[in-house]
Amino acid sequence: MFQTFHPKYVVNTPYLFFTGKGGVGKTSTACATAVALADTGKKVLIVSTDPASNLQDVFDIEIGNDPVEVPSVPNLSACNIDPEESARQYREKVISPYRSALPESVVATMEEQLSGACTVEIAAFDEFSNLLTDQELISQYDHILFDTAPTGHTLRLLQLPTAWSSFLEESTHGASCLGPLSGLGEKKQMYSSTVKALSDPKMTTLILVTRPEPSSMLEAERASAELKEIGMENQVVIINGLLQKHIKEDRISKAFFDRQQSALAEMPARLKQVGMFAIPYVPFSLTGVGNLRHMFNSVTHSVEINEVELSEDRLHSLQDLVNDFAQRDMRIIFTMGKGGVGKTTIASAIAVGLAEKGIKVHLTTTDPAAHLDYAFQQKNAYNRLSISRLDPKKEVEAYKEAVLSQNKNQLNEEALAYLEEDLNSPCTEEIAVFQAFADIVEKSKDEVVVIDTAPTGHTLLLLNSAESYHKEISRSTGTVSESVQNLLPKLRNPEETSVVIVTLPEATPVLEATRLRDDLKRASIEPQWWVINQSLYAQQTTDPILQSKAEAEKVWIKKVSEEVAEKTSIVPWQPEEKLGYDKMKDLINSSFSH
Amino acid sequence: MKTIKIFDPALCCPTGVCGPSVDPELTRVASAIFILEKKGFPISRYNLANDPAAFVEHKEVNQVLHERGPDALPLVMLDGKVEKVGSYPSNEEFASWLGVDVKELTPEKPRNQLL
């Protein structure tokens, strides 16, 4: 019913953006497309703009900010726009000439100021704009493919050129709030070229990758609509992982197939207007160039399976995790992990599990793309459990409002307008979200707070900013709310805060989650529980394709439960979507059926 | 006419609204300067984070920084001499240095003028 995706049908512009909800297979699709194009002799560059890039896992080489050739694929180069690294380079460029001329302590304050989320975001964005406008670089490639971070982050990245361009246009007193970005005014030209390139259908194709499931299609629809608004009209949808055939007598196989089909039948209306292609479900993980080359031309590609011995006694149910948290009286519980691994579901289940024990719980999400209302359908229906969502747009409005009213009486109209201009700077968003986040954490005095965080990269930036703000606050003369002051010490206290890492039993999510754990450890936060979500291994099926997927999971389940995690909980793949309070209770108790 | 040069610590923006908290002192200073600049007074402002060269080129500033470290900021120079160290000028100081009425720097909001 859908035409099978092949790059030759779709690729006719130099720039290709792959976006979509976390975990839908953006990286695999983008990499496979890049390899296919390079194999036809085109010069191709693939760029990851995800702060938690996986390109190095796929190609098995070190990849940094500068393009490197992929040895196993002639004509293909790859690079990561690593925001932290871009910011570090930028900082060094600004500071190094002054290391000898200014005292060390003074240089240190410069470094601190240039470590904020604002600098990090803009430095990454600057590099990104460069890739779209640097003629010398562009002339070296036929195609530049962008494997982008999950939708929320990408929308922001793609909307920034417009945001900055109009901010610069409207600003009457120059780019005052650009702080570390002195000279941004001169880049106006570059930003408007970026906007132009993005909105030219001869230059740019937006590829919305989705799974045949409701939440990722909703998100594809949202991205499609928002990016059309900034002029990215040339769009294509790829439905990734479509099960072609199934075994009617097998409960799991049938449920798997039916769920996909009903999701497709209920596809959001606006998404249907976009040209659509499908990629068949494959039971092997798409790392390594060999597997990538199979993605577009073989479904029957046989998978090599190594015998893996699992110690199943190391695998617990979600109920065990909930019991542990209740017993230790954890006050703040984060779910973290790559996008699309089911953090929102797991956070919801933990919240329901605790509420069932008579504990007062507040559940919230910082994921711009989360659908908590959707997951619960009724808001605040249960009195021990309250739900909120941290919406960046609303937070920015509230923050502006608060700052302006705080100053209303001291300032005249003109000065207020001046202040408002600074507040319209795109970097205000980070501050606003950060403050709201701190306020939610503060609620843990009265109730247990379960926080479903945005995908990995974003979360790390948030935690990093917690660190740099914390330093800044200690020397700030402004009025700092108590919640902000308390934030970092709270997050680091293992008696109070627990981080649950959520992953799928697959290569990329496990590798990425392992890096996340290392990053958290560096921030002095030690995750104990891991949740392996949507495991086919923990179900029983006779479908050969699903079975080989279940077999392939074992190596990753073993790695998590026996190597990296202190305690592991495993949640079987669910034949029905778990929505609402009562269904969450089923999920908590579902364990292994081996 | 006196010239004023203000050397800020490393700031994100001069109004401070993009810092971790809004510092009312910064907002006051930014607004006062904004008003004075509109009247044509020569005031320059240097932010350590994006204009470090100014902190090296002005010998007196550099010297104070070496003696007292980052706590010396903000630092104010009046006609080429270090006038204030570690704090911003008050509106009264701005007014007396430049010979303007202090009320002009913090005008009352023209609210309910007709009543």
Side-chain angles (χ1 to χ4, degrees):
Chain A
M1 117 188 190
F2 296 104
Q3 189 169 12
T4 301
F5 174 76
H6 194 281
K8 68 184 172 198
Y9 301 133
V10 169
V11 177
N12 47 26
T13 58
Y15 298 121
L16 298 160
F17 280 86
F18 291 79
T19 189
K21 193 173 178 346
V24 295
K26 290 183 293 291
T27 301
S28 314
T29 313
C31 288
T33 305
V35 170
L37 288 169
D39 283 350
T40 66
K42 301 279 191 196
K43 285 288 210 182
V44 181
L45 173 66
I46 183 162
V47 183
S48 171
T49 66
D50 189 338
S53 165
N54 303 117
L55 289 185
Q56 65 274 30
D57 299 335
V58 177
F59 294 117
D60 202 20
I61 50 169
E62 280 298 315
I63 293 173
N65 273 29
D66 299 315
V68 288
E69 287 178 16
V70 177
S72 45
V73 187
N75 301 322
L76 179 62
S77 301
C79 66
N80 287 324
I81 297 186
D82 173 352
E84 296 287 342
E85 176 58 20
S86 310
R88 198 193 58 76
Q89 286 178 4
Y90 171 81
R91 206 157 47 229
E92 215 25 56
K93 206 170 80 197
V94 174
I95 292 173
S96 60
Y98 301 99
R99 286 206 189 275
S100 54
L102 292 168
E104 211 176 295
S105 57
V106 173
V107 171
T109 67
M110 289 172 70
E111 272 177 332
E112 237 168 75
Q113 179 58 47
L114 295 175
S115 304
C118 185
T119 314
V120 173
E121 183 173 64
I122 300 298
F125 166 65
D126 225 41
E127 280 220 27
F128 165 73
S129 286
N130 215 10
L131 286 172
L132 290 166
T133 50
D134 180 350
Q135 290 306 324
E136 204 193 309
L137 185 91
I138 295 169
S139 64
Q140 294 174 34
Y141 301 101
D142 297 306
H143 300 286
I144 300 182
L145 281 66
F146 292 88
D147 169 29
T148 68
T151 324
H153 196 269
T154 304
L155 286 177
R156 184 140 165 74
L157 191 68
L158 295 177
Q159 286 164 343
L160 272 172
T162 316
W164 282 114
S165 295
S166 61
F167 179 68
L168 291 173
E169 254 154 47
E170 284 159 20
S171 176
T172 54
H173 58 280
S176 87
C177 184
L178 305 181
L181 304 151
S182 51
L184 188 71
E186 292 137 39
K187 291 188 173 163
K188 215 166 147 176
Q189 187 54 44
M190 178 163 116
Y191 294 151
S192 60
S193 308
T194 305
V195 176
K196 223 172 122 198
L198 290 176
S199 53
D200 182 349
K202 290 195 195 68
M203 298 290 286
T204 302
T205 310
L206 177 73
I207 298 176
L208 299 151
V209 185
T210 180
R211 293 271 176 192
E213 65 181 26
S215 64
S216 73
M217 289 200 296
L218 269 179
E219 191 156 319
E221 185 201 30
R222 188 175 73 104
S224 166
E226 285 198 25
L227 292 171
K228 266 185 189 160
E229 247 171 64
I230 62 159
M232 294 183 86
E233 300 268 357
N234 186 11
Q235 304 185 350
V236 168
V237 174
I238 295 180
I239 297 164
N240 187 25
L242 194 62
L243 198 64
Q244 310 286 70
K245 51 183 180 211
H246 69 293
I247 296 171
K248 290 187 182 63
E249 301 74 35
D250 184 277
R251 186 176 74 99
I252 298 301
S253 175
K254 185 171 184 310
F256 201 98
F257 183 79
D258 288 348
R259 275 185 72 168
Q260 291 198 342
Q261 291 303 316
S262 80
L264 290 176
E266 283 160 36
M267 180 180 308
R270 283 185 301 179
L271 203 58
K272 283 188 197 156
Q273 299 160 7
V274 183
M276 232 170 265
F277 297 87
I279 295 175
Y281 185 87
V282 288
F284 50 89
S285 68
L286 288 157
T287 50
V289 173
N291 281 345
L292 286 176
R293 287 197 166 111
H294 282 289
M295 188 163 175
F296 300 139
N297 49 28
S298 153
V299 216
T300 48
H301 169 60
S302 67
V303 205
E304 213 176 285
I305 290 177
N306 302 319
E307 260 324 299
V308 176
E309 281 299 320
L310 263 180
S311 314
E312 291 182 355
D313 55 339
R314 293 189 62 88
L315 302 173
H316 304 274
S317 71
L318 266 186
Q319 187 64 58
D320 296 336
L321 174 152
V322 169
N323 293 345
D324 182 45
F325 284 163
Q327 195 215 331
R328 290 191 290 144
D329 189 26
M330 272 308 137
R331 307 305 298 168
I332 305 161
I333 297 158
F334 283 98
T335 54
M336 291 191 188
K338 187 175 159 59
V341 296
K343 288 187 297 294
T344 309
T345 306
I346 298 301
S348 307
I350 292 173
V352 167
L354 290 168
E356 281 296 297
K357 287 181 167 289
I359 298 167
K360 226 178 146 213
V361 186
H362 184 78
L363 169 66
T364 196
T365 177
T366 60
D367 187 341
H371 311 284
L372 273 189
D373 296 350
Y374 172 71
F376 274 87
Q377 307 207 313
Q378 291 156 290
K379 222 177 179 180
N380 301 343
Y382 302 87
N383 54 17
R384 277 194 301 271
L385 176 67
S386 57
I387 302 169
S388 70
R389 178 179 161 196
L390 209 155
D391 176 343
K393 278 194 182 132
K394 282 188 196 144
E395 296 307 334
V396 170
E397 282 317 306
Y399 178 74
K400 281 187 193 169
E401 193 64 28
V403 171
L404 288 174
S405 72
Q406 215 178 328
N407 288 287
K408 222 179 210 149
N409 296 324
Q410 292 99 23
L411 302 177
N412 69 359
E413 303 285 347
E414 246 179 348
L416 270 177
Y418 171 91
L419 186 65
E420 201 170 351
E421 249 178 52
D422 271 4
L423 279 169
N424 284 334
S425 147
C427 52
T428 313
E429 182 170 317
E430 290 287 341
I431 310 297
V433 170
F434 180 77
Q435 295 231 337
F437 175 72
D439 288 344
I440 286 171
V441 169
E442 191 71 3
K443 282 176 183 252
S444 64
K445 275 194 298 217
D446 309 315
E447 52 195 336
V448 172
V449 180
V450 180
I451 304 175
D452 163 39
T453 62
T456 330
H458 190 88
T459 307
L460 286 178
L461 290 184
L462 202 62
L463 287 173
N464 271 334
S465 50
E467 171 98 61
S468 57
Y469 284 145
H470 193 72
K471 278 188 205 147
E472 218 173 301
I473 284 156
S474 53
R475 57 185 175 82
S476 167
T477 47
T479 38
V480 178
S481 70
E482 208 177 317
S483 62
V484 173
Q485 286 180 41
N486 292 340
L487 183 63
L488 199 62
K490 253 189 213 286
L491 296 186
R492 283 189 172 150
N493 180 0
E495 313 262 291
E496 233 178 330
T497 303
S498 263
V499 170
V500 176
I501 293 188
V502 185
T503 185
L504 300 179
E506 290 165 23
T508 311
V510 171
L511 292 171
E512 188 168 319
T514 309
R515 279 197 289 271
L516 169 65
R517 180 204 59 169
D518 297 341
D519 284 336
L520 287 168
K521 277 188 167 176
R522 270 195 291 279
S524 309
I525 296 169
E526 193 92 23
Q528 290 178 324
W529 279 95
W530 283 51
V531 174
I532 299 174
N533 197 16
Q534 298 169 21
S535 168
L536 278 166
Y537 172 74
Q539 277 291 7
Q540 279 174 333
T541 173
T542 53
D543 185 313
I545 291 179
L546 298 184
Q547 229 178 17
S548 45
K549 173 67 169 60
E551 274 302 310
E553 286 179 0
K554 279 164 77 178
V555 57
W556 300 106
I557 297 171
K558 186 181 173 74
K559 185 174 164 68
V560 170
S561 60
E562 293 169 37
E563 283 175 45
V564 290
E566 212 169 291
K567 290 174 190 157
T568 306
S569 153
I570 189 162
V571 180
W573 182 84
Q574 299 294 312
E576 54 167 9
E577 198 175 3
K578 295 294 182 208
L579 289 177
Y581 192 95
D582 292 326
K583 292 286 168 64
M584 285 297 163
K585 289 198 284 188
D586 299 347
L587 191 66
I588 301 163
N589 289 310
S590 67
S591 56
F592 239 156
S593 56
H594 258 247
Chain B
M1 197 188 292
K2 288 191 166 28
T3 56
I4 300 174
K5 289 183 177 180
I6 297 178
F7 295 83
D8 286 305
L11 293 176
C12 180
C13 61
T15 51
V17 291
C18 30
S21 65
V22 180
D23 184 345
E25 178 70 352
L26 268 175
T27 315
R28 175 190 66 78
V29 172
S31 312
I33 292 173
F34 171 68
I35 293 166
L36 290 168
E37 276 180 331
K38 282 197 72 172
K39 292 180 185 294
F41 289 108
I43 301 180
S44 330
R45 210 171 160 185
Y46 308 95
N47 177 347
L48 178 63
N50 53 29
D51 201 1
F55 294 72
V56 177
E57 283 155 12
H58 291 82
K59 297 273 171 296
E60 302 84 346
V61 177
N62 196 262
Q63 195 187 332
V64 177
L65 277 182
H66 273 98
E67 282 161 13
R68 303 190 37 180
D71 290 343
L73 301 175
L75 182 150
V76 185
M77 281 178 95
L78 192 59
D79 277 344
K81 283 201 191 100
V82 175
E83 178 73 23
K84 282 181 84 77
V85 174
S87 66
Y88 288 105
S90 64
N91 284 356
E92 288 73 17
E93 282 170 317
F94 273 129
S96 81
W97 294 340
L98 298 171
V100 297
D101 185 348
V102 69
K103 283 202 185 105
E104 291 187 58
L105 297 180
T106 49
E108 289 299 309
K109 283 199 74 176
R111 199 180 290 160
N112 297 337
Q113 269 175 336
L114 298 176
L115 294 177

